[in-house]
Amino acid sequence: MHPSYQALYRATVKSAATLGGALLQGMLARALARMPGEAQASTDVVERNLLADAATVLADHSAALLDSFPQALLAEFAHALAGGRGGALTFDSLPLLGEEQVRDNVDVLRVTQDVLEAVRPELGELESLLAAAQGPGTPGRHPLRPEVFVRALHRLVQQSPVAATVRRRWLRHLGAELGTELAGLYRELTATLRAHGVAAAAPAMAAAPPPSPERQTDLTVRELQRLLAGELDLAAPGNRPPFADTEFSATIPAAFEQLREMRQVDQVMQQLRQRQAAVPDPAGEGRSLLRNALLLQVRRPAQALALEVVRLMVDNLAADPRLLPAVQEAVRDLEPALMRLALADPRFFSERQHPARQLLEQATQRSLAWADEGAPGFAEFAGALREAVEALLDSRAVGPEVFQIALDTLQGAWAEAQPRGRRLREKAVRALLRAEQRNLLAERIAQQLAGRPEAAGAPAEVMSFLGGPWAQVMAQARLADRGGSDDPGGYAAAAATLLRSVQPALAMRVFPHRQALAERLRHGLASVDYLPAETQRWLSTFDVLQEHAAMETAPPALPETPAPPGDTWLAALEAHDSGFVPLPAVSSAAEHPVWPPELPGIDLQPGAWVDLLGATGWERWQLTWASPHGLLFMFTDATGTARSMTRRSLQDRLAGGSLRTVSAHTVVDGALDAVARVAWRNSV
């Protein structure tokens, strides 16, 4: 990201949130003007009454909705910045949805599709400018996408204390007006970006829909739910899968029949591999032949549906632009083994701990460590993955065991590649845990010091010191104390002495002890590796304050003293051990984080991959650890090098665009979510 564009990108997102009230106001005005007329025109008496009631209640709740919408919008912006998966439209959520929720999400998807069509030209132009401001790498992954606004509207409607029938009509009619209002907002943001000199580096690009599977499918949400619930197997009780959980669940004839079918599939697989070795098959004709051969082996509805899910999942994985070409090809080549497994184990993809799903997840997730195939370490990673795929294709085993063997082999190879990195990460985690524990205790100590009677008239510089570095000193001493002392190190007494020494009414009684106090302060700050130059600056400030307190004169103007840290503080050694990335310095209040309220939480979870803007450009990192209280986060790269940052730093970088999510959840989750979206679209 161009340095001058970071603040502009941040301001653009803030502007969208600030204008959310006006956006909803326009939607409300349009909806309230149209709903009564539509109610009168309805030939369905029941619908006429429901719609008229919904319009009346909407008018009554308009003020409350306008008050709540900015916060709902901010929550969805934060979710989108962290790469959230889009609410209930996920593969994993399907078994949990009842009929009412299915109907509700179909309404949300229908509104999203309508809004996208209404804003496509404006969205394309805006995204081309955002891509220029943000830099290459993650087009279309900004928080201003239409579905984010629809989710905010849905969140707002769902939180309203009205009947479900009213909420559904609110969403439908407000959603119908969102496209017009959002197009206007996009035009306004586009004009602002152009006025600041941002020019599109490429034609508008991100408004196009995602690539569709190679052929259409009639897959629906209800069918997926039945598969995941096992209902399709129950529909054919005489055809229990021969590879079930119990040893004697299948009859001997059924087992022989399965073996015969597997031999036929093995023959097709062998022919396919021979053909691929002799002549490349970029069009995938060989895989199509295999799919057709496997379909002939289907004996139960669950098998047919499982093969379709696997096909769609692999198609989505192989088309994912975040995966490098070598990884995409490995996924395509793995498809025959996965489809053969699906015949015997129709729901392997829905069981997170299944070895086949684990193999896919770990291989694709680890591959995100490299942004290009020429990066150091990728060739070794790709070679090990290729060997595992070859072994799976050569195997004639059908169950999960062969996938477990391949997974164990890959994990061993990966562990051997980074033994030093693992030790460094463990050292970093210890440093960060220690820092969080001390910071939490220091926060309580700072509050106690601020409440002391002597603190009422103390200079601001002294209170900044006590609430900042000295609270860290006292917390460190208490955590390290094993003797049960009330005041380990005498640091609480030193704080009381310092407070008296800088106030004219109390200073004479402690003035003779200034040198001892200075030594105590110096010793305490050294215990937390406080920088010597900063220590001397504080002591010099106290010297001036104490001199004038003793003479009962006003001190001269002192250099500006920083306020107690609102962010988590790390000692120098802790920062070194954890590769700490400090919060960027700001030159004015206008450059501080722009969110009107603070971003409502961070959705990033360990395992997420991000691009972090460094001194030489974008760098790829994985969030590998978050502290128990969410104050500190650690990232590692492909070499095992660790970087850490505070919660505030992570929030600011996400909001400002200098940290962007590549994958907030596993790539396989994303591929299965895409399967779910196909089913949702077919259900609209």
Side-chain angles (χ1 to χ4, degrees), residues 99 115 123 129 139 148 157-158 226 327 333 410 434 458 492 529:
E99 290 298 329
V115 172
L123 176 61
L129 295 176
V148 177
V157 169
Q158 287 298 105
R226 292 178 64 198
V327 180
D333 289 346
L410 277 174
R434 183 169 61 247
D529 296 327

Side-chain angles (χ1 to χ4, degrees), residues 270-353:
Q270 184 177 4
Q271 294 170 5
L272 171 62
R273 298 199 65 202
Q274 291 172 348
R275 175 176 173 177
Q276 288 177 329
V279 180
D281 183 20
E285 294 179 2
R287 283 189 292 272
S288 296
L289 291 174
L290 177 66
R291 288 169 176 170
N292 292 334
L294 286 165
L295 285 173
L296 296 177
Q297 313 307 320
V298 168
R299 295 294 180 269
R300 302 189 309 280
Q303 289 179 316
L305 188 54
L307 289 178
E308 182 68 358
V309 172
V310 171
R311 180 189 72 80
L312 292 171
M313 177 186 70
V314 170
D315 285 350
N316 285 307
L317 284 172
D320 194 320
R322 295 169 298 179
L323 299 183
L324 295 172
V327 180
Q328 292 176 333
E329 189 60 28
V331 170
R332 290 190 190 97
D333 289 346
L334 194 55
E335 182 182 11
L338 294 173
M339 297 191 82
R340 182 171 61 179
L341 174 65
L343 285 177
D345 194 355
R347 287 179 288 165
F348 80 87
F349 42 77
S350 65
E351 298 172 3
R352 284 194 170 274
Q353 300 309 312

Side-chain angles (χ1 to χ4, degrees), residues 527-538:
S527 71
V528 292
D529 296 327
Y530 204 67
L531 296 178
E534 288 297 299
T535 296
Q536 189 56 49
R537 184 180 66 79
W538 283 114

Side-chain angles (χ1 to χ4, degrees), residues 151-204:
R151 288 204 302 266
L153 177 62
H154 181 243
R155 176 191 290 260
L156 178 71
V157 169
Q158 287 298 105
Q159 292 174 346
S160 300
V162 296
T165 55
V166 172
R167 289 198 299 266
R168 187 171 298 116
R169 284 157 182 81
W170 283 7
L171 178 65
R172 186 184 310 151
H173 287 82
L174 289 173
E177 309 301 338
L178 176 57
T180 301
E181 298 296 327
L182 191 56
L185 175 62
Y186 284 166
R187 286 192 293 269
E188 186 173 344
L189 297 177
T190 296
T192 301
L193 289 170
R194 291 196 184 279
H196 284 81
V198 181

Side-chain angles (χ1 to χ4, degrees), residues 578-590:
S578 63
F580 185 65
V581 181
L583 189 69
V586 293
S587 57
S588 69

Side-chain angles (χ1 to χ4, degrees), residues 58-408:
L58 180 59
D60 293 340
H61 284 75
S62 292
L65 294 173
L66 285 169
D67 287 341
S68 303
F69 188 60
Q71 188 60 36
L73 197 55
L74 279 172
E76 290 301 333
F77 279 3
H79 190 65
L81 283 166
R85 294 174 65 187
L89 302 181
T90 63
F91 191 87
D92 290 341
S93 69
L94 291 177
L96 308 176
L97 300 180
E99 290 298 329
E100 181 72 20
Q101 292 170 302
V102 170
R103 204 160 44 241
D104 187 43
N105 281 286
V106 167
D107 288 342
V108 171
L109 185 59
R110 182 182 290 112
V111 170
T112 302
Q113 292 174 338
D114 291 343
V115 172
L116 180 59
E117 287 302 316
V119 304
R120 194 177 295 278
E122 293 83 2
L123 176 61
E125 187 175 5
L126 174 63
E127 287 191 329
S128 66
L129 295 176
L130 288 175
Q134 222 184 345
T138 53
R141 298 187 65 79
H142 57 85
L144 306 183
R145 305 187 303 275
E147 61 265 28
V148 177
F149 286 86
V150 175
R151 288 204 302 266
L153 177 62
H154 181 243
R155 176 191 290 260
L156 178 71
V157 169
Q158 287 298 105
Q159 292 174 346
S160 300
V162 296
T165 55
V166 172
R167 289 198 299 266
R168 187 171 298 116
R169 284 157 182 81
W170 283 7
L171 178 65
R172 186 184 310 151
H173 287 82
L174 289 173
E177 309 301 338
L178 176 57
T180 301
E181 298 296 327
L182 191 56
L185 175 62
Y186 284 166
R187 286 192 293 269
E188 186 173 344
L189 297 177
T190 296
T192 301
L193 289 170
R194 291 196 184 279
H196 284 81
V198 181
M205 54 184 295
S212 58
E214 65 182 46
R215 63 178 174 81
Q216 294 298 315
T217 176
D218 295 327
L219 189 68
T220 66
V221 167
R222 182 54 184 153
E223 286 178 326
L224 274 181
Q225 287 182 313
R226 292 178 64 198
L227 172 66
L228 298 177
E231 294 177 12
L232 294 179
D233 284 338
L234 295 177
N239 290 316
R240 293 289 303 280
F243 295 91
D245 294 336
T246 59
E247 184 177 358
F248 301 102
S249 60
T251 63
I252 296 298
F256 278 113
E257 178 69 12
Q258 183 75 17
L259 291 174
R260 183 184 67 80
E261 293 170 358
M262 288 300 114
R263 282 198 296 272
Q264 292 177 359
V265 173
D266 287 339
Q267 292 171 4
V268 176
M269 287 184 65
Q270 184 177 4
Q271 294 170 5
L272 171 62
R273 298 199 65 202
Q274 291 172 348
R275 175 176 173 177
Q276 288 177 329
V279 180
D281 183 20
E285 294 179 2
R287 283 189 292 272
S288 296
L289 291 174
L290 177 66
R291 288 169 176 170
N292 292 334
L294 286 165
L295 285 173
L296 296 177
Q297 313 307 320
V298 168
R299 295 294 180 269
R300 302 189 309 280
Q303 289 179 316
L305 188 54
L307 289 178
E308 182 68 358
V309 172
V310 171
R311 180 189 72 80
L312 292 171
M313 177 186 70
V314 170
D315 285 350
N316 285 307
L317 284 172
D320 194 320
R322 295 169 298 179
L323 299 183
L324 295 172
V327 180
Q328 292 176 333
E329 189 60 28
V331 170
R332 290 190 190 97
D333 289 346
L334 194 55
E335 182 182 11
L338 294 173
M339 297 191 82
R340 182 171 61 179
L341 174 65
L343 285 177
D345 194 355
R347 287 179 288 165
F348 80 87
F349 42 77
S350 65
E351 298 172 3
R352 284 194 170 274
Q353 300 309 312
H354 193 288
R357 176 158 175 175
Q358 283 291 304
L359 177 68
L360 272 177
E361 286 189 349
Q362 296 196 29
T364 52
Q365 281 302 102
R366 286 178 179 269
S367 77
L368 296 179
W370 296 274
D372 63 82
E373 294 189 348
F378 179 75
E380 293 78 3
F381 168 84
L385 178 58
R386 169 55 53 189
E387 290 179 4
V389 172
E390 292 290 336
L392 285 168
L393 293 178
D394 287 337
S395 172
R396 293 180 178 272
V398 178
E401 294 79 11
V402 64
F403 286 91
Q404 186 65 59
I405 293 171
L407 177 61
D408 292 343

